[in-house]
């Protein structure tokens, strides 16, 4: 395993040594880089990103007020407003509805949701940490998802916040 650490993004984690890390517009992704699909993504939501999403999706809402209120969201509110809508708009089937029983991230309670999409299963673990929303997603093909439990759990359990 390798360690990914980024002070600006505010976290570190372990990922398989043969995977490739790649910076994205709103976070970072880790993948096998081969035909065997397995991917772990981190998307980060701050005030600016929330305002941008709001303006693109909700033309009738007060996006300034929404982005100003976002840092005060609880983890549950983040899950209900963002993770639920992402799963319902992208999913073929909801496998596990939003709950807060499965994961702790760096000793903080997180919310999870699991859904299938185009032959893949996605487990999203999300939480608010110091006014920033973190969305951690593990994706794999349906026929391989359950075999990847140890890798998935190790990545999720290794996440540490730097503040």
């Amino acid at each position: 395993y390798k360690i990914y650490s980024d002070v600006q993004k505010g976290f570190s984690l372990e990922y398989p040594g043969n995977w490739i890390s790649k910076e994205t517009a709103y976070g970072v992704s880790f993948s096998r880089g081969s035909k065997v699909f397995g991917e772990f993504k981190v998307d980060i939501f701050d005030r600016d990103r929330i305002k941008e999403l709001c303006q693109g999706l909700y033309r009738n809402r007060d996006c300034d007020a929404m982005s100003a209120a976002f840092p005060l969201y609880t983890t549950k509110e983040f899950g209900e407003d963002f993770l639920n809508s992402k799963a319902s708009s992208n999913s073929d089937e909801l496998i596990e509805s939003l709950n807060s029983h499965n994961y702790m991230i760096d000793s903080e309670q997180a919310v999870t949701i699991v859904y299938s999409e185009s032959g893949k299963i996605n487990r999203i673990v999300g939480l608010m940490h110091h006014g920033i929303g973190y969305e951690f997603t593990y994706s794999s093909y349906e026929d391989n998802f359950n075999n990847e439990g140890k890798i998935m759990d190790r990545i999720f359990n290794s996440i540490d916040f730097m503040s």
Side-chain angles (χ1 to χ4, degrees), residues 16-51:
N18 60 343
W19 285 28
I20 299 163
S21 68
K22 180 181 176 186
E23 298 295 319
T24 64
Y26 298 108
V28 62
S29 71
F30 306 89
S31 64
R32 284 194 170 95
S34 69
K35 293 179 183 177
V36 179
F37 181 79
E39 181 180 52
F40 186 81
K41 289 190 318 185
V42 182
D43 285 322
I44 300 170
F45 296 81
D46 61 11
R47 282 183 175 181
D48 293 337
R49 180 153 186 224
I50 294 305
K51 187 172 182 177

Side-chain angles (χ1 to χ4, degrees), residues 1 9 18 29-31 33 35 43 46 72 75 82 89 92 95 98-99 101 108-109 119-120 126 128 132 144 150 157:
Y1 278 74
K9 292 180 177 67
N18 60 343
S29 71
F30 306 89
S31 64
K35 293 179 183 177
D43 285 322
D46 61 11
L72 304 175
T75 291
F82 293 94
S89 65
D92 297 331
I95 297 170
L98 189 70
N99 74 70
H101 304 293
E108 296 182 44
Q109 187 66 55
K120 298 179 287 187
M128 292 294 294
I132 304 291
N144 201 37
K150 288 181 182 179
N157 290 328

